[in-house]
Amino acid sequence: MSSAASTSSSQVGRGRGRGRGRGRRRRDGDDRQGRRGRASRNGVWPEPFVEALALQVALDAARTLGRRAVASAIARIFQVCSTWRAVSRSELLWQELTRRIWTRQHLLQDTWRDEYIFWHRTAFNFRTRRAVYTRLEIGNGDGNGDGNDNELSCRRLALSNMYLACGFVDGSVRLFDLSSRLHVNTYRSHHDDRLGRFSRAVTGIVIDDQPKLVFATMDGDIHVAIVGGAGQRRAQVGNVVNDGALVDFAGCSRAWVGLYAGAPGRAFHVWDGEREELLYVGGSMTDPEAVMGWHMLTEWSESIGRVRVSSLECGVACTSVGILVLGLQDQGLVLGSEEFEGGLIVDSFDVSGELCLVVDNRGTATVRRVDSLEEVCRFRLRGGSGGRVLGCISGEYVFLWTGGVIRVWDVEHGRPVYCWGERMREEARYLIADQRYVAACSGHTRIHLWDFGAL
């Protein structure tokens, strides 16, 4: 019995031993397969995850090193493996990169990848001053129709992706196609100058990519035209007696804002740009300049004020005393303001995106954030202001015309980059820039255009 019991016990023991061995082998095999599975899953990440990673790397590079550093940063992501390289062909990724890095919403090239490459190359051309120059001139046969072409003088410019619009003191807007550099149309205001020699002068232009053209004249009229469409119409009829002179006008597709001088408490007019309805009238920013506002109807003097619309959809205005930020959707709520001891140069004020450029009479330029008026950088003009200064800001650069030369500064650090001016022999009257073009008008009818995206 003991032997049987021992045998039985021995058999059971051998059975348990074989079972434990097979169990260990199965568990070891499962662990190895699990590790291989986890390694496989870690090596081949889902495409949406890789796209999100590439986008985050791009945003970090743009914030810390600048937008031109993004291309090399995401190129390293695409070199990790073939699967990650395949993500570089994602149109959704390139569309988001173009939107977030270059703030471009409309596809102009064949693909979004081509779109991104185009704006990267254009930014590099801006940095190295590689541009194609064209001088656009109004011909003798394109006067105002009254035989007095000597009165033709350009005072306002506006850019879109497709067109350059030029506003003149005779109440006309000449439109040029940017791809061909040809004059394509002329739009004229619907009134005479009975309120003063300059009452019909164009004081602001808004042009978008619909393409829709909106322009205002000093007497307060606002005209709207669809480029390529039939004719134009007067969307708003001005009232000089009640409002004063409309000294500047700006806007976007959703809102327009006018800066007036001449009537107390009516400095700002805000319209809904889609419904073309007046939303707000008020403000006293230009009250000290009321008399000069009336004089501008008959005598073209130095600028009283400027107004711009930021990407935050707020109006930013400047006079010789200070700047003010106005909520366009908040019934004229003042979001911020600042006065400057010694005064400001109105013609050098500009807004681009969320930044604004301010130059004081001592020749010190500052770039500020629109939402907080916090200073981003500052620099001094060589030799101080020393006369008339025209300014604009676009993307990464500040452009200032002074002493016959356009000087360029880097926005991030306030460092000078380069200057040019060999093409302009007369005094400049207006200066604008966007992410591709710089344009200026000088003399009476000479329009200068530099295209940094053509090379």
Side-chain angles (χ1 to χ4, degrees), residues 7 25 34 41 62 80 92 110 113 118 164 190 196 248 281 306 311-312 326-327 330 332 340 355 407 431-432 448:
T7 301
R25 285 193 293 272
R41 287 194 296 271
V80 170
L92 289 177
D110 293 335
R113 181 178 181 274
F118 173 82
L164 170 66
H190 296 296
D248 203 23
V281 176
R306 271 193 177 185
S311 60
L312 302 175
L326 188 75
D330 302 311
F340 291 77
L355 301 176
R407 304 183 187 276
L431 179 68
I432 60 169
H448 308 267

Side-chain angles (χ1 to χ4, degrees), residues 47-275:
E47 286 190 7
F49 181 87
V50 180
E51 289 181 7
L53 176 63
L55 179 60
Q56 188 58 52
V57 168
L59 295 176
D60 291 343
R63 183 174 57 254
T64 57
L65 301 174
R67 295 187 294 183
R68 286 177 289 110
V70 170
S72 59
I74 59 176
R76 288 192 290 270
I77 293 289
F78 298 148
Q79 292 171 1
V80 170
C81 64
S82 60
T83 303
W84 288 32
R85 192 176 305 117
V87 174
S88 68
R89 296 189 289 271
S90 169
E91 275 292 279
L92 289 177
L93 173 61
W94 288 110
Q95 181 179 5
E96 188 67 9
L97 286 171
T98 305
R99 185 180 71 85
R100 300 287 291 274
I101 303 301
W102 302 114
T103 64
R104 308 300 301 186
Q105 310 295 333
H106 303 288
L107 181 64
L108 302 178
Q109 310 300 317
D110 293 335
T111 67
W112 281 106
R113 181 178 181 274
D114 292 340
E115 189 78 15
Y116 185 94
I117 292 173
F118 173 82
W119 292 110
H120 174 82
R121 185 176 64 245
T122 301
F124 180 80
N125 290 342
F126 260 111
R127 189 70 182 184
T128 56
R129 194 189 157 188
R130 299 180 70 243
V132 172
Y133 170 79
T134 305
R135 192 175 80 176
L136 311 173
E137 192 131 16
I138 307 299
N140 293 331
D142 192 32
N144 56 17
D146 60 6
N148 193 12
D149 291 346
N150 291 329
E151 296 296 324
L152 192 63
S153 180
C154 182
R155 298 290 178 162
R156 292 292 188 270
L157 298 171
L159 282 163
S160 72
N161 285 325
M162 300 172 61
Y163 298 102
L164 170 66
C166 311
F168 291 80
V169 296
D170 70 340
S172 66
V173 173
R174 269 75 170 175
L175 198 66
F176 290 86
D177 181 275
L178 288 171
S179 59
S180 65
R181 311 292 199 268
L182 297 178
H183 171 246
V184 295
N185 208 343
T186 298
Y187 303 89
R188 303 184 189 279
S189 56
H190 296 296
H191 60 86
D192 55 29
D193 55 1
R194 63 183 180 276
L195 296 175
R197 178 185 175 190
F198 295 108
S199 63
R200 60 179 177 175
V202 175
T203 53
I205 306 171
V206 179
I207 184 168
D208 59 28
D209 294 315
Q210 292 185 11
K212 180 180 179 181
L213 175 71
V214 183
F215 67 97
T217 50
M218 194 173 293
D219 64 355
D221 283 3
I222 300 176
H223 302 266
V224 176
I226 301 300
V227 178
Q232 67 185 63
R233 56 188 173 82
R234 183 159 52 182
Q236 299 288 328
V237 178
N239 189 333
V240 176
V241 175
N242 289 336
D243 298 328
L246 175 53
V247 297
D248 203 23
F249 175 82
C252 59
S253 60
R254 295 185 58 184
W256 310 332
V257 57
L259 183 65
Y260 289 75
R266 301 179 70 84
F268 294 102
H269 288 49
V270 179
W271 294 267
D272 183 303
E274 296 173 342
R275 299 195 303 268

Side-chain angles (χ1 to χ4, degrees), residues 67 103 307-317 323 325 348-358 366-379 391-398 409-414 433:
R67 295 187 294 183
T103 64
V307 65
R308 296 290 184 266
V309 174
S310 77
S311 60
L312 302 175
E313 293 194 1
C314 55
V316 190
I323 58 177
V325 183
S348 65
F349 172 78
D350 196 25
V351 170
S352 175
E354 300 179 8
L355 301 176
C356 68
L357 168 67
V358 180
T366 58
V367 176
R368 296 167 178 263
R369 301 191 187 280
V370 169
D371 56 353
S372 62
L373 297 182
E374 174 191 0
E375 186 176 301
V376 175
C377 73
R378 71 165 47 213
F379 53 88
C392 63
I393 179 173
S394 177
E396 301 175 5
Y397 302 101
V398 166
W409 280 265
D410 173 81
V411 166
E412 185 176 2
H413 303 103

